Amino acid sequence: DQCGDNPDLVPAAVWEHLRRNCHFPFALPGVSTHPIQAGDEVIPPGSVVLPMTGDAEHDPTRTPDPDRYDLHRPRRAILAFGAGVHVCPGKAWMLMVLEEALRALAVSRLRLAIGPGEVGRHDGGLMPGVPGRIPVRATR
């Protein structure tokens, strides 16, 4: 609704959605090169670690009130597309696609909901088991 009233909020809505709903909940495993403080525990150097990128975006020490959906939250780097040399090469393209799709939905006031039928699953590639086909119902 906020984006329909003010389409300039679309980039913020896409960014906030990606911050809250990281599509890869964890990064590839690695070996720690130095001690890592994790709460009350210390992970020693040489340990295999599995970074939970989705959890990083819900850390209240980094993001105030992380579970609140806030289109006016100051924009900062997020891990949804990786970072540094490991950034997704499709990041700019995907942000453009998401923003244009949300802008079209917001301006048209079209509402999408899961429709009747089965959600088809994708059985191959890097993300087996993710939805491959989702029945959608559109209303105004």
Side-chain angles (χ1 to χ4, degrees):
D1 289 336
Q2 291 179 59
C3 291
D5 295 338
N6 181 359
D8 290 341
L9 289 174
V10 165
V14 168
W15 204 254
E16 183 69 352
H17 173 77
L18 291 170
R19 182 194 67 78
R20 290 173 46 98
N21 303 290
C22 192
H23 56 284
F24 283 107
F26 53 85
L28 295 174
V31 178
S32 64
T33 57
H34 58 280
I36 300 170
Q37 184 75 38
D40 295 333
E41 302 291 322
V42 175
I43 300 169
S47 299
V48 175
V49 294
L50 182 65
M52 301 302 291
T53 55
D55 289 349
E57 303 302 343
H58 293 272
D59 179 354
T61 64
R62 188 166 148 69
T63 304
D65 199 5
D67 294 328
R68 182 171 48 93
Y69 190 84
D70 182 1
L71 296 185
H72 303 286
R73 188 182 302 277
R75 189 166 173 168
R76 61 170 177 74
I78 58 174
L79 296 172
F81 290 99
V85 298
H86 299 288
V87 71
C88 174
K91 176 182 177 181
W93 175 75
M94 187 48 57
L95 286 171
M96 180 186 66
V97 168
L98 290 170
E99 287 176 15
E100 290 306 312
L102 181 56
R103 189 177 325 283
L105 288 171
V107 170
S108 70
R109 300 291 182 158
L110 194 62
R111 303 278 185 224
L112 300 181
I114 300 294
E118 291 279 322
V119 173
R121 297 285 172 194
H122 180 68
D123 293 325
L126 294 175
M127 298 174 60
V130 300
R133 179 181 42 78
I134 301 173
V136 176
R137 175 175 45 92
T139 59
R140 288 201 191 266

